[in-house]
Amino acid sequence: MLALSVGFCLLGGGKRIVRFTEKVVPVMGVAYVLISLIVVFAHVNYIPATFAAIFSDAFDFRAIFGGLSGS
């Protein structure tokens, strides 16, 4: 399926690539958002612990010195 799509676009030139991508890219964007929302809602009970870990680990001295040494 993917090889046929690539061949269809390459053999048709620039206009065919534009027509193909203007149909595929919005579908990909919507699918990405829907799948990410499904993953977030499937793990909604981990969200408070995740934010707590982010804020507790982001502001310790080890992270600060790691950021300074990396820059």
Side-chain angles (χ1 to χ4, degrees):
M1 188 77 157
L2 185 61
L4 289 174
S5 298
V6 170
F8 177 76
C9 286
L10 291 178
L11 295 175
K15 289 183 182 180
R16 191 177 289 179
I17 293 171
V18 170
R19 280 189 278 145
F20 182 76
T21 56
E22 75 182 4
K23 292 179 181 81
V24 173
V25 170
V27 173
M28 289 171 44
V30 170
Y32 181 83
V33 170
L34 289 177
I35 291 170
S36 63
L37 288 175
I38 289 170
V39 169
V40 167
F41 287 124
H43 299 95
V44 72
N45 54 341
Y46 293 116
I47 291 176
T50 302
F51 279 108
I54 289 170
F55 286 112
S56 68
D57 292 340
F59 299 112
D60 65 351
F61 288 113
R62 197 166 161 201
I64 293 169
F65 290 127
L68 286 174
S69 67
S71 65

